[in-house]
Amino acid sequence: NLYPRMGWAQPLQDYFRPACAKAQDKALSGRSSKSFYDEGAWSPIEAMLKAGDFVLIQFGHNDEKREDAARYTEPYGSYQRYLSLYIDATLAAGATPILLTSIERNSWSGGKLGNTHGEYPEAVRELARKRALTLVDMTQLTHAYLERLGQAAASQLFLNLAPGESPNYPNGNTDNTHLQERGARAIADVALAELAHQRNPLAALPEHVPTPGARAGALAISPDARPNRSSARQAAFTAG
């Protein structure tokens, strides 16, 4: 059991009434856009897609692993080609693909948050422009969010645990890539708030639209992004 480790898509169903939308987190830890496809993880998702669904597509962290031929992709080459496979299949099913850049790692030096993803975020931005697709620039958004929090508070969102803090990590843990539950929920807030800001149709489905950084208190509800409960929708989430 890896809890409190949690991906940001895992709690997304909490934002939606089940009769309104069904969120299915299909992410697999450690996969890149290449290995997720090559291992066959995409096939059952593609098979279940139907018109009206939304597919949030986010990879990058593991695509960067140059030393691993099974996962590595070139930003403006195989990375964009694999992303295009997901996009094309989603569109063919009458569903809506949404591209997301990677969330920022919690990597600080001299009090400044680093940029750790190289050319991968820009490759996603370029692909979104070329294909005229919705882009949620999570790299930019989470970088700004973590900087606003500061290093100490930002580190509490990631899987950094003191000895004895969690029974699953009795000796503690240091991990500035993976989120713990509070971080997953905070980053989900960021993603949904951005979709609402863009007035994306998916953002009309949640019961409320969160305000990033409001986790210490009640979540704010945007008056111009109320849920439309006329029909149920499905959202599948893939991430590496």
Side-chain angles (χ1 to χ4, degrees), residues 119 167 184 215 219:
E119 295 181 313
R215 282 284 151 190
L219 291 174

Side-chain angles (χ1 to χ4, degrees), residues 10-239:
Q10 287 180 252
L12 281 176
Q13 185 62 62
D14 294 347
Y15 295 84
F16 302 89
R17 288 185 183 273
C20 179
K22 181 180 181 181
Q24 297 192 47
D25 176 20
K26 297 297 184 178
L28 293 175
S29 180
R31 272 57 170 194
S32 69
S33 63
K34 180 181 187 298
S35 63
F36 191 88
Y37 191 91
D38 290 351
E39 291 175 11
W42 172 249
S43 296
I45 301 171
E46 181 179 1
M48 74 180 186
L49 288 175
K50 60 183 182 299
D53 290 348
F54 297 86
V55 182
L56 274 64
I57 304 166
Q58 182 189 53
F59 291 96
H61 280 77
N62 295 295
D63 289 81
E64 301 165 17
K65 297 185 181 299
R66 186 180 293 271
E67 73 285 356
D68 187 346
R71 293 189 287 181
Y72 176 69
T73 60
E74 298 175 351
Y76 293 101
S78 50
Y79 185 47
Q80 289 186 332
R81 288 196 296 273
Y82 273 98
L83 292 176
S84 294
L85 292 174
Y86 304 122
I87 293 166
D88 292 343
T90 299
L91 292 171
T96 301
I98 297 174
L99 289 177
L100 299 93
T101 56
S102 305
I103 71 170
E104 191 61 271
R105 293 183 178 93
N106 187 44
S107 177
W108 298 77
S109 179
K112 293 189 177 297
L113 183 64
N115 296 293
T116 67
H117 293 299
E119 295 181 313
Y120 290 87
E122 187 54 40
V124 179
R125 296 174 191 126
E126 179 185 90
L127 186 60
R129 288 192 298 268
K130 287 181 177 179
R131 301 294 300 266
L133 298 175
T134 295
L135 170 73
V136 180
D137 196 342
M138 293 296 284
T139 304
Q140 183 181 67
L141 290 165
T142 57
H143 190 101
Y145 178 53
L146 296 176
E147 278 195 327
R148 188 164 68 249
L149 290 178
Q151 184 174 357
S155 296
Q156 294 179 21
L157 302 183
F158 290 82
L159 197 60
N160 297 304
L161 304 168
E165 186 175 349
S166 168
N168 290 323
Y169 302 85
N171 297 320
N173 194 68
T174 300
D175 181 344
N176 286 296
T177 296
H178 298 99
L179 300 166
Q180 58 176 298
E181 182 176 1
R182 69 169 69 95
R185 294 185 181 279
I187 299 306
D189 287 352
V190 171
L192 287 175
E194 175 61 16
L195 285 168
H197 176 73
Q198 295 185 29
R199 296 188 179 275
N200 185 276
L202 178 57
L205 298 175
E207 291 191 80
H208 60 259
V209 175
T211 298
R215 282 284 151 190
L219 291 174
I221 300 175
S222 172
D224 56 358
R226 298 290 178 176
N228 177 357
R229 298 187 175 86
S230 59
S231 61
R233 294 291 185 269
Q234 176 172 275
F237 304 93
T238 71

